[in-house]
Each structure stands twice: as structure tokens, then as C-alpha cells.
Amino acid sequence: RCAKVNSKNQNIYIRQALMIKLSNRNIILILILLVAVGLRLYRADDFMLGNDEHSALVRLQHNNIGDLIEYGIKPDGHPAGVQLFLYGWTNLVGTSTWAVRVPFILLGLLSLVYTFLLSNKWFGLTVAALITSLLATSSYIFLHQMAARPYAAGICFVLALAWYQEQFFDKGGRWRDLLLIILFTSLSAYTHYFAALEAFLILALGIFRCPASLRKKLALAWLGSALLYLPHLSIFFTQIQTGGIGGWLAPPQFSLLSDWFQIGLNGWLPISIVLLMILAFRFFARSILHERKGPILYALALGLVPFIAGFIYSHLRSPVLHLNSLVFAFPFILAGANVKFWCAHKWAAPVQ
């Protein structure tokens, strides 16, 4: 009889533990992912391959990887990673719309998970739910995550890099996290040059956020990533000599920043204006930065530096900055502009 009572109590405890686990961040994340999946599946057959995707598939028509690199990758202006992946993937599954896009849709969904985890760690559950919901329903993010182009992969890789660097700091410099940092830094660099810039910023700013005892170990991430990028240097130097995409892209105007927010938030002009005001307020109101100054400034830097760097490069050398290239920074700019007073203080702590 005592054994039955103990077994019953144990079952109750297990059920309660499961309910507690699901009632925290996980159930919110699952609901957001279900909405995101529904949006991506709804009338999915209506979203035919775009011109950019057709161009990528046409440039796969080569008999060997050497010709693919020489004639299908170097003239394009993007790193080799996604084109090489498509070359192998389409040889396995064909070139139907769904077959080509499925990996990128899955990477897009995974990027929402990393967005949620990072935002929850930095700013708490309410802000994490809000930011992830905005990204899941943003047409700007949706279109880039549906396309078989570098954007879904790049967003996922830079967010994964940021998350595993946080894990590296929190878990005492685990080797597993260090290897994942090297992996996702390299994947970012092989995916898109603005994703590579984002990865560089994450590692560079990580030096200042890293505990002193782990800095030498973190330096191995720089070394490992550099070694993995060596095979791509010849492609990089060939593409950089072409000067970018200035043949059809005009130098950006300052209005691109407001356009970026407005399009990213589904054309909600009032929210975009509020977001711009919050960003300005962040820089001048030190009191609001007091409690979480580190994560706020870190996220703002990851969101704004690529815009500033791309803007300067576009005016001094050749236009490269446009809305597509800013998509990797968009999750960070939303996180950095989170409004602390959206949520009560009791929600401020990250939820496990």
C-alpha cells in the first residue's frame, strides 16, 4: 500500500513538473512557432520562385564544382556557401519549389527559437514573446525566410552564434560551445557578407563581455574561424574587386533607416516612429540603461553598426546597402529597442 502511495505521489510530481515546464517559456514559444508555421504553409503554392531564386538555379547548371565556383559564384557577389549547398541539394531532391525552399523555411523557424532564447536571457519573457512574435509575423522576415537565398540561413547562423557565445560565457567556457561558435561564425561568413559582418561584431564585442579567465579560450574561436575561411579567400578577393552591385543599386539615403523599420513592422508607421524615438532615447537617457545597459547597448550595436558600415561603404566605394542586406541585423535592432516599461518588473527576470 505504501508503495502504491509513493508511486501515485511520484506520478503527481512528474505531471506537476511537466506542467511547470510547459507553463513557462516553452508553451509561449510553441504557440509562436505554430503561428509561424501556419503563415508559411497558408497558400504556400501561391509563392512561386522569384527572379533571384531562378537566377541562383540557373547558375547551378555546371558539370563540376570548379566551373560552378568560377562561373556561377564569383560573378554573383555572394559567398559560396548557399550556392554550393543548392548545388548538392538540388542534385538530391530536384528543383521543384518546395524541394528547394524547405531547408530555408526550417532555418527560418529555427531562427525564431534563437531569437526567443536570446531575448529572454537579455530582457525577460515578455520582451522575448513580443520580439519573436513580431519577427514571426513580419512580412519582411517572412519573405526572406521563404526564399531559397542566403537570408534565412544567415539570420539563423548569426543568432545561433550569439546564443552559443552567451552559453560559452555562462557555462564556464565549455568546449562544445566554443566549437559551435567556430561553426556558426564560419557558416555566417560563407553565407552572406553582411552576415559575416554581424558575426565579426558578435565576436569582437564578445571580447569585452567575456570573463577575463575565458578570453584566451575565446581567441581560439577567432583562430578556428579564420582557418575555416581560408579556402574562400580567393573568391572573396575576386568579388571585392568587382565593387559590389553598384550597376543597379543607388547609394542609400538616410531615409532607408526609417524605411527599414516601417517595412520590417509591416508598414505600421506609428510603431516605426515610436521605435526610432526609443532608439534615440536609448542613447541619451542613461537612467533607462542602468539595469540592463550591457545587453541593450550590445543589441543596439549589432543592429546599427551594419547599417552605418554599409552606408559609409556604399557612399565611399560602391553601393551595397539595401533592405535585403539589413535583414541579419533586424532581430538585434528590435531587441535593443525593447521598451522596458512594456512589462512589469516582476516579468523582467529571464524565465527558465
Side-chain angles (χ1 to χ4, degrees), residues 55-75 83 87 90-91:
S55 174
L57 294 178
V58 168
R59 285 184 280 105
L60 295 177
Q61 308 305 310
H62 298 284
N63 295 325
N64 56 72
I65 293 180
D67 287 345
L68 172 67
I69 292 174
E70 192 66 31
Y71 305 110
I73 293 176
K74 287 184 178 180
Q83 201 67 12
Y87 184 77
T90 54
N91 282 331

mmCIF file of all heavy atoms in Angstrom, residues 55-75 83 87 90-91:
data_model
loop_
_atom_site.group_PDB
_atom_site.id
_atom_site.type_symbol
_atom_site.label_atom_id
_atom_site.label_comp_id
_atom_site.label_asym_id
_atom_site.label_seq_id
_atom_site.Cartn_x
_atom_site.Cartn_y
_atom_site.Cartn_z
ATOM 1 N N SER A 55 17.532 32.833 -60.806
ATOM 2 C CA SER A 55 18.908 33.138 -61.181
ATOM 3 C C SER A 55 19.892 32.199 -60.479
ATOM 4 O O SER A 55 20.851 31.712 -61.093
ATOM 5 C CB SER A 55 19.230 34.597 -60.842
ATOM 6 O OG SER A 55 20.582 34.890 -61.070
ATOM 7 N N ALA A 56 19.644 31.948 -59.197
ATOM 8 C CA ALA A 56 20.518 31.034 -58.449
ATOM 9 C C ALA A 56 20.474 29.630 -59.040
ATOM 10 O O ALA A 56 21.509 28.953 -59.141
ATOM 11 C CB ALA A 56 20.104 31.013 -56.982
ATOM 12 N N LEU A 57 19.279 29.173 -59.439
ATOM 13 C CA LEU A 57 19.155 27.833 -60.012
ATOM 14 C C LEU A 57 19.812 27.752 -61.391
ATOM 15 O O LEU A 57 20.428 26.731 -61.733
ATOM 16 C CB LEU A 57 17.679 27.438 -60.106
ATOM 17 C CG LEU A 57 16.941 27.256 -58.768
ATOM 18 C CD1 LEU A 57 15.476 26.905 -59.011
ATOM 19 C CD2 LEU A 57 17.613 26.185 -57.914
ATOM 20 N N VAL A 58 19.693 28.811 -62.173
ATOM 21 C CA VAL A 58 20.343 28.830 -63.487
ATOM 22 C C VAL A 58 21.856 28.732 -63.331
ATOM 23 O O VAL A 58 22.536 28.033 -64.099
ATOM 24 C CB VAL A 58 19.947 30.101 -64.258
ATOM 25 C CG1 VAL A 58 20.830 30.282 -65.499
ATOM 26 C CG2 VAL A 58 18.482 30.042 -64.668
ATOM 27 N N ARG A 59 22.383 29.408 -62.329
ATOM 28 C CA ARG A 59 23.838 29.395 -62.131
ATOM 29 C C ARG A 59 24.349 28.076 -61.551
ATOM 30 O O ARG A 59 25.548 27.921 -61.329
ATOM 31 C CB ARG A 59 24.241 30.562 -61.220
ATOM 32 C CG ARG A 59 24.190 31.907 -61.936
ATOM 33 C CD ARG A 59 24.671 33.066 -61.093
ATOM 34 N NE ARG A 59 23.647 33.541 -60.159
ATOM 35 C CZ ARG A 59 23.655 33.299 -58.864
ATOM 36 N NH1 ARG A 59 24.629 32.585 -58.326
ATOM 37 N NH2 ARG A 59 22.679 33.759 -58.090
ATOM 38 N N LEU A 60 23.448 27.128 -61.303
ATOM 39 C CA LEU A 60 23.857 25.790 -60.862
ATOM 40 C C LEU A 60 24.162 24.866 -62.037
ATOM 41 O O LEU A 60 24.650 23.747 -61.832
ATOM 42 C CB LEU A 60 22.744 25.152 -60.014
ATOM 43 C CG LEU A 60 22.402 25.814 -58.678
ATOM 44 C CD1 LEU A 60 21.225 25.093 -58.027
ATOM 45 C CD2 LEU A 60 23.599 25.821 -57.746
ATOM 46 N N GLN A 61 23.883 25.319 -63.258
ATOM 47 C CA GLN A 61 23.994 24.446 -64.425
ATOM 48 C C GLN A 61 25.442 24.310 -64.875
ATOM 49 O O GLN A 61 25.844 24.820 -65.931
ATOM 50 C CB GLN A 61 23.117 24.993 -65.554
ATOM 51 C CG GLN A 61 21.687 25.266 -65.172
ATOM 52 C CD GLN A 61 21.013 24.041 -64.568
ATOM 53 O OE1 GLN A 61 21.071 22.947 -65.136
ATOM 54 N NE2 GLN A 61 20.371 24.220 -63.427
ATOM 55 N N HIS A 62 26.219 23.620 -64.066
ATOM 56 C CA HIS A 62 27.618 23.358 -64.390
ATOM 57 C C HIS A 62 27.934 21.909 -64.069
ATOM 58 O O HIS A 62 27.316 21.302 -63.196
ATOM 59 C CB HIS A 62 28.545 24.291 -63.609
ATOM 60 C CG HIS A 62 28.336 25.749 -63.923
ATOM 61 N ND1 HIS A 62 28.793 26.334 -65.083
ATOM 62 C CD2 HIS A 62 27.691 26.731 -63.239
ATOM 63 C CE1 HIS A 62 28.439 27.611 -65.103
ATOM 64 N NE2 HIS A 62 27.776 27.881 -63.986
ATOM 65 N N ASN A 63 28.918 21.371 -64.762
ATOM 66 C CA ASN A 63 29.213 19.949 -64.646
ATOM 67 C C ASN A 63 30.084 19.602 -63.455
ATOM 68 O O ASN A 63 30.165 18.433 -63.060
ATOM 69 C CB ASN A 63 29.893 19.448 -65.931
ATOM 70 C CG ASN A 63 28.956 19.526 -67.123
ATOM 71 O OD1 ASN A 63 27.751 19.314 -66.991
ATOM 72 N ND2 ASN A 63 29.513 19.847 -68.290
ATOM 73 N N ASN A 64 30.746 20.574 -62.880
ATOM 74 C CA ASN A 64 31.630 20.295 -61.748
ATOM 75 C C ASN A 64 31.702 21.515 -60.849
ATOM 76 O O ASN A 64 31.305 22.629 -61.253
ATOM 77 C CB ASN A 64 33.032 19.879 -62.214
ATOM 78 C CG ASN A 64 33.653 20.918 -63.130
ATOM 79 O OD1 ASN A 64 34.042 21.998 -62.691
ATOM 80 N ND2 ASN A 64 33.728 20.596 -64.438
ATOM 81 N N ILE A 65 32.207 21.311 -59.635
ATOM 82 C CA ILE A 65 32.252 22.389 -58.648
ATOM 83 C C ILE A 65 33.221 23.488 -59.071
ATOM 84 O O ILE A 65 32.988 24.683 -58.794
ATOM 85 C CB ILE A 65 32.627 21.818 -57.269
ATOM 86 C CG1 ILE A 65 31.496 20.919 -56.760
ATOM 87 C CG2 ILE A 65 32.898 22.934 -56.264
ATOM 88 C CD1 ILE A 65 31.761 20.288 -55.396
ATOM 89 N N GLY A 66 34.290 23.123 -59.754
ATOM 90 C CA GLY A 66 35.238 24.136 -60.215
ATOM 91 C C GLY A 66 34.587 25.142 -61.136
ATOM 92 O O GLY A 66 34.766 26.363 -60.985
ATOM 93 N N ASP A 67 33.811 24.654 -62.116
ATOM 94 C CA ASP A 67 33.103 25.563 -63.021
ATOM 95 C C ASP A 67 32.015 26.341 -62.279
ATOM 96 O O ASP A 67 31.753 27.511 -62.586
ATOM 97 C CB ASP A 67 32.474 24.767 -64.164
ATOM 98 C CG ASP A 67 33.509 24.273 -65.159
ATOM 99 O OD1 ASP A 67 34.647 24.778 -65.128
ATOM 100 O OD2 ASP A 67 33.175 23.362 -65.949
ATOM 101 N N LEU A 68 31.364 25.678 -61.323
ATOM 102 C CA LEU A 68 30.337 26.366 -60.526
ATOM 103 C C LEU A 68 30.931 27.563 -59.800
ATOM 104 O O LEU A 68 30.349 28.659 -59.801
ATOM 105 C CB LEU A 68 29.722 25.393 -59.517
ATOM 106 C CG LEU A 68 28.758 26.001 -58.487
ATOM 107 C CD1 LEU A 68 27.498 26.506 -59.163
ATOM 108 C CD2 LEU A 68 28.425 24.983 -57.396
ATOM 109 N N ILE A 69 32.107 27.371 -59.195
ATOM 110 C CA ILE A 69 32.747 28.471 -58.460
ATOM 111 C C ILE A 69 33.177 29.575 -59.418
ATOM 112 O O ILE A 69 32.962 30.769 -59.156
ATOM 113 C CB ILE A 69 33.947 27.937 -57.654
ATOM 114 C CG1 ILE A 69 33.453 27.035 -56.515
ATOM 115 C CG2 ILE A 69 34.777 29.089 -57.096
ATOM 116 C CD1 ILE A 69 34.558 26.352 -55.742
ATOM 117 N N GLU A 70 33.759 29.185 -60.539
ATOM 118 C CA GLU A 70 34.326 30.165 -61.468
ATOM 119 C C GLU A 70 33.250 30.967 -62.195
ATOM 120 O O GLU A 70 33.367 32.192 -62.349
ATOM 121 C CB GLU A 70 35.215 29.444 -62.485
ATOM 122 C CG GLU A 70 36.070 30.376 -63.319
ATOM 123 C CD GLU A 70 37.110 31.109 -62.489
ATOM 124 O OE1 GLU A 70 37.587 30.554 -61.471
ATOM 125 O OE2 GLU A 70 37.446 32.263 -62.863
ATOM 126 N N TYR A 71 32.166 30.287 -62.612
ATOM 127 C CA TYR A 71 31.173 30.941 -63.455
ATOM 128 C C TYR A 71 29.811 31.151 -62.779
ATOM 129 O O TYR A 71 29.004 31.936 -63.272
ATOM 130 C CB TYR A 71 30.969 30.124 -64.734
ATOM 131 C CG TYR A 71 32.250 29.879 -65.495
ATOM 132 C CD1 TYR A 71 32.805 28.601 -65.565
ATOM 133 C CD2 TYR A 71 32.919 30.924 -66.115
ATOM 134 C CE1 TYR A 71 33.985 28.364 -66.247
ATOM 135 C CE2 TYR A 71 34.113 30.704 -66.802
ATOM 136 C CZ TYR A 71 34.637 29.415 -66.860
ATOM 137 O OH TYR A 71 35.813 29.199 -67.522
ATOM 138 N N GLY A 72 29.580 30.462 -61.663
ATOM 139 C CA GLY A 72 28.282 30.582 -61.005
ATOM 140 C C GLY A 72 28.324 31.286 -59.669
ATOM 141 O O GLY A 72 27.277 31.700 -59.153
ATOM 142 N N ILE A 73 29.532 31.439 -59.083
ATOM 143 C CA ILE A 73 29.648 32.044 -57.751
ATOM 144 C C ILE A 73 30.438 33.348 -57.793
ATOM 145 O O ILE A 73 29.973 34.367 -57.276
ATOM 146 C CB ILE A 73 30.295 31.048 -56.761
ATOM 147 C CG1 ILE A 73 29.353 29.867 -56.510
ATOM 148 C CG2 ILE A 73 30.646 31.744 -55.442
ATOM 149 C CD1 ILE A 73 29.931 28.783 -55.629
ATOM 150 N N LYS A 74 31.613 33.339 -58.386
ATOM 151 C CA LYS A 74 32.442 34.548 -58.391
ATOM 152 C C LYS A 74 31.747 35.753 -59.028
ATOM 153 O O LYS A 74 31.829 36.866 -58.488
ATOM 154 C CB LYS A 74 33.770 34.256 -59.089
ATOM 155 C CG LYS A 74 34.720 33.406 -58.266
ATOM 156 C CD LYS A 74 36.063 33.225 -58.966
ATOM 157 C CE LYS A 74 37.023 32.413 -58.109
ATOM 158 N NZ LYS A 74 38.332 32.211 -58.763
ATOM 159 N N PRO A 75 31.019 35.604 -60.127
ATOM 160 C CA PRO A 75 30.348 36.786 -60.709
ATOM 161 C C PRO A 75 29.131 37.253 -59.914
ATOM 162 O O PRO A 75 28.649 38.367 -60.138
ATOM 163 C CB PRO A 75 29.912 36.290 -62.101
ATOM 164 C CG PRO A 75 30.716 35.063 -62.366
ATOM 165 C CD PRO A 75 30.934 34.434 -61.016
ATOM 166 N N GLN A 83 25.170 28.734 -52.506
ATOM 167 C CA GLN A 83 25.179 28.206 -53.864
ATOM 168 C C GLN A 83 25.743 26.787 -53.903
ATOM 169 O O GLN A 83 25.239 25.928 -54.630
ATOM 170 C CB GLN A 83 25.988 29.138 -54.764
ATOM 171 C CG GLN A 83 25.678 29.018 -56.245
ATOM 172 C CD GLN A 83 24.274 29.488 -56.607
ATOM 173 O OE1 GLN A 83 23.591 30.112 -55.807
ATOM 174 N NE2 GLN A 83 23.854 29.190 -57.826
ATOM 175 N N TYR A 87 23.679 23.420 -54.954
ATOM 176 C CA TYR A 87 24.229 22.519 -55.976
ATOM 177 C C TYR A 87 24.079 21.064 -55.531
ATOM 178 O O TYR A 87 23.622 20.204 -56.292
ATOM 179 C CB TYR A 87 25.693 22.862 -56.220
ATOM 180 C CG TYR A 87 26.349 22.061 -57.315
ATOM 181 C CD1 TYR A 87 26.110 22.350 -58.661
ATOM 182 C CD2 TYR A 87 27.223 21.018 -57.011
ATOM 183 C CE1 TYR A 87 26.716 21.625 -59.669
ATOM 184 C CE2 TYR A 87 27.837 20.277 -58.019
ATOM 185 C CZ TYR A 87 27.575 20.588 -59.337
ATOM 186 O OH TYR A 87 28.171 19.851 -60.340
ATOM 187 N N THR A 90 19.946 20.237 -54.791
ATOM 188 C CA THR A 90 19.087 20.044 -55.970
ATOM 189 C C THR A 90 19.463 18.771 -56.728
ATOM 190 O O THR A 90 18.610 18.176 -57.399
ATOM 191 C CB THR A 90 19.165 21.255 -56.908
ATOM 192 O OG1 THR A 90 20.534 21.526 -57.233
ATOM 193 C CG2 THR A 90 18.549 22.480 -56.262
ATOM 194 N N ASN A 91 20.712 18.364 -56.641
ATOM 195 C CA ASN A 91 21.082 17.085 -57.253
ATOM 196 C C ASN A 91 20.434 15.911 -56.531
ATOM 197 O O ASN A 91 20.213 14.849 -57.131
ATOM 198 C CB ASN A 91 22.603 16.918 -57.243
ATOM 199 C CG ASN A 91 23.281 17.731 -58.331
ATOM 200 O OD1 ASN A 91 22.689 17.990 -59.380
ATOM 201 N ND2 ASN A 91 24.505 18.137 -58.089
#
